Amino acid sequence: YRYVLHPDGSHRLSYVSSQVREIYELSPEMVLADVSHLQGRIHPDDLERTDAVCQHSAETLEPFTVEHRLVLPEKGTRWIQAFARPKRQENGDIV
């Protein structure tokens, strides 16, 4: 997926691969409509740390890698590794 953080703090996804079904057990349409569906799959014990890593990266524009668990309805608990290289756009968005 492609995550966009706007200067006002709001966020959205501008692209979601069909692989979101395999990884998160969610439809691309559902995730495009509301990014919180992805966050809802992160294990509660990992959510604060994962959010902090992403927030730090958005503030500093430093790349990040973070491992965390997903809690999935059919597959149970799974570990994933997320990574990103944020870039600030001319309009102030961070992608």
Side-chain angles (χ1 to χ4, degrees):
Y1 53 83
R2 186 173 186 215
Y3 178 84
V4 180
L5 178 61
H6 300 292
D8 67 2
S10 64
H11 55 192
R12 68 181 177 86
L13 296 175
S14 63
Y15 168 79
V16 176
S17 162
S18 62
Q19 285 299 105
V20 75
R21 290 183 197 278
E22 177 67 25
I23 297 169
Y24 288 89
E25 296 181 5
L26 295 166
S27 73
E29 298 80 16
M30 178 183 279
V31 174
L32 277 171
D34 186 354
V35 69
S36 69
H37 292 293
L38 291 179
Q39 293 168 318
R41 295 287 202 240
I42 298 174
H43 191 286
D45 292 344
D46 298 343
L47 189 56
E48 185 177 333
R49 178 180 51 82
T50 301
D51 282 347
V53 168
C54 294
Q55 181 64 34
H56 176 77
S57 178
E59 291 169 3
T60 63
L61 299 180
E62 294 174 5
F64 77 83
T65 301
V66 63
E67 294 181 357
H68 61 83
R69 293 167 287 179
L70 297 178
V71 180
L72 306 171
E74 294 179 22
K75 296 177 184 173
T77 302
R78 300 282 191 230
W79 281 93
I80 67 165
Q81 183 182 59
F83 56 93
R85 293 185 346 207
K87 294 193 175 50
R88 187 176 313 276
Q89 305 299 301
E90 287 183 22
N91 67 355
D93 287 351
I94 298 172
V95 178

